[in-house]
């Protein structure tokens, strides 16, 4: 596994690639950002950003969304995965914010997790981005990159990945590191076709050499199977 020093070196190289790393969800208010993050679970930021402008034009605040008809909200976000459940959750969350938090998005992770549809990852993202609460949210990109680089163990659960990252990265860098890891995983160290050949972290990576070797073997097999042009 990578040491703390090597982990910070890896993050430094990622930051060189993405110096302005930040979330890619669009929102104009704290409440809208919370809703966008809830909607982004098991969905792409692109799909959320396509749906939320119309949603927020109809229901821009918790006060308005709390009174929204479920069918209307489902129709507005039906292009997003799990839209039926998410529609119920964002309405209930709006109602909870109105009745329990005086219409204001709560600032602590514990309070955020009391809202419908808000789990640990969502709470970490919202608390970190909106209120600068030290937190690392482990999504598929963060988990994949952390395991490929052996910052954590391959067998680690999401919670264990989070705990390992928190041990190896100073708390004041958790929010920035979270976004840096996401962008690196989303655009470079991708799930299916990681850019290992041009990766500035290749010398630190445990999986990179294996991936390139597998590609080489596949290419050799493919060439053998190709019909002769003669």
């Amino acid at each position: 596994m990578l040491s703390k020093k090597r982990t910070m070196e890896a993050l430094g190289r990622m930051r060189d690639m993405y110096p302005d790393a930040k979330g890619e969800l669009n929102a104009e208010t704290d409440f809208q950002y919370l809703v966008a993050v809830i909607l982004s679970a098991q969905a792409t930021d692109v799909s959320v950003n396509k749906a939320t402008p119309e949603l927020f034009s109809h229901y821009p605040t918790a006060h308005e969304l709390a009174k929204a008809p479920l069918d209307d909200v489902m129709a507005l976000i039906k292009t997003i995965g799990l839209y039926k459940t998410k529609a119920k959750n964002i309405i209930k969350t709006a109602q909870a914010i109105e009745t329990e938090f005086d219409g204001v998005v709560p600032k602590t992770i514990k309070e955020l997790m009391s809202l419908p549809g808000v789990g640990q990852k969502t709470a970490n993202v919202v608390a970190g981005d909106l209120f600068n609460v030290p937190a690392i949210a482990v999504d598929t990109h963060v988990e994949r990159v952390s395991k490929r680089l052996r910052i954590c163990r391959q067998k680690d659960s999401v919670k264990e990945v989070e705990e390992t990252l928190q041990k190896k990265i100073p708390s004041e860098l958790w929010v920035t590191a979270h976004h840096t890891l996401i962008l690196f995983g989303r655009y470079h160290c991708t799930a299916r076709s990681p850019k290992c050949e041009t990766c500035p972290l290749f010398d630190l990576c445990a999986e990179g050499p294996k991936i390139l070797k597998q590609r080489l073997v596949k290419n050799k097999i493919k060439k053998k199977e190709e019909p002769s042009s003669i």
Side-chain angles (χ1 to χ4, degrees):
M1 289 173 62
L2 288 187
S3 63
K4 288 184 180 180
K5 181 179 179 180
R6 285 293 200 176
T7 297
M8 293 306 299
E9 183 179 345
L11 278 172
R13 296 185 196 181
M14 290 182 220
R15 283 198 299 272
D16 288 340
M17 298 174 69
Y18 305 100
D20 301 313
K22 60 182 180 180
E24 296 184 310
L25 292 170
N26 298 329
E28 294 182 358
T29 66
D30 290 355
F31 174 71
Q32 289 181 6
Y33 188 71
L34 168 62
V35 170
V37 178
I38 293 173
L39 295 178
S40 71
Q42 299 183 52
T44 65
D45 288 359
V46 172
S47 68
V48 174
N49 286 336
K50 286 181 179 179
T52 50
E54 190 171 1
L55 173 68
F56 295 149
S57 70
H58 285 77
Y59 308 108
T61 68
H63 180 71
E64 285 143 335
L65 186 57
K67 299 182 293 184
L70 177 59
D71 288 344
D72 285 1
V73 176
M74 287 196 296
L76 291 169
I77 65 169
K78 63 182 179 181
T79 56
I80 300 174
L82 305 175
Y83 74 94
K84 292 181 181 180
T85 299
K86 291 177 180 179
K88 294 176 184 177
N89 283 337
I90 62 175
I91 291 173
K92 290 179 180 178
T93 284
Q95 292 168 346
I97 288 174
E98 279 291 285
T99 59
E100 298 174 28
F101 298 102
D102 298 322
V104 179
V105 175
K107 295 184 177 182
T108 70
I109 290 175
K110 183 178 180 180
E111 287 174 324
L112 285 165
M113 288 183 66
S114 72
L115 300 172
V118 178
Q120 184 75 60
K121 184 179 75 173
T122 297
N124 284 358
V125 172
V126 173
D129 287 347
L130 294 184
F131 310 119
N132 203 33
V133 175
I136 295 179
V138 179
D139 70 351
T140 56
H141 302 299
V142 174
E143 181 178 9
R144 179 173 65 256
V145 172
S146 297
K147 289 184 176 181
R148 280 181 175 169
L149 288 171
R150 297 297 190 274
I151 294 174
C152 61
R153 301 173 299 180
Q154 288 284 73
K155 66 178 183 178
D156 282 351
S157 65
V158 169
K159 186 62 178 175
E160 288 171 328
V161 172
E162 178 184 337
E163 291 171 349
T164 298
L165 289 171
Q166 289 175 339
K167 290 176 182 177
K168 294 186 176 182
I169 301 170
S171 60
E172 64 269 19
L173 298 178
W174 285 357
V175 175
T176 300
H178 155 73
H179 287 301
T180 302
L181 286 162
I182 285 178
L183 294 186
F184 182 72
R186 181 176 291 164
Y187 298 114
H188 190 87
C189 190
T190 53
R192 294 188 178 182
S193 300
K195 300 177 177 64
C196 299
E197 292 87 348
T198 60
C199 186
L201 284 80
F202 188 80
D203 61 307
L204 297 175
C205 184
E207 287 297 307
K210 297 179 184 179
I211 292 172
L212 289 187
K213 185 176 180 180
Q214 290 171 354
R215 288 179 183 171
L216 182 62
V217 172
K218 287 181 180 179
N219 287 335
K220 286 183 178 179
I221 294 174
K222 184 177 179 181
K223 287 182 179 180
K224 288 181 180 180
E225 293 176 345
E226 289 177 350
S228 174
S229 59
I230 300 176

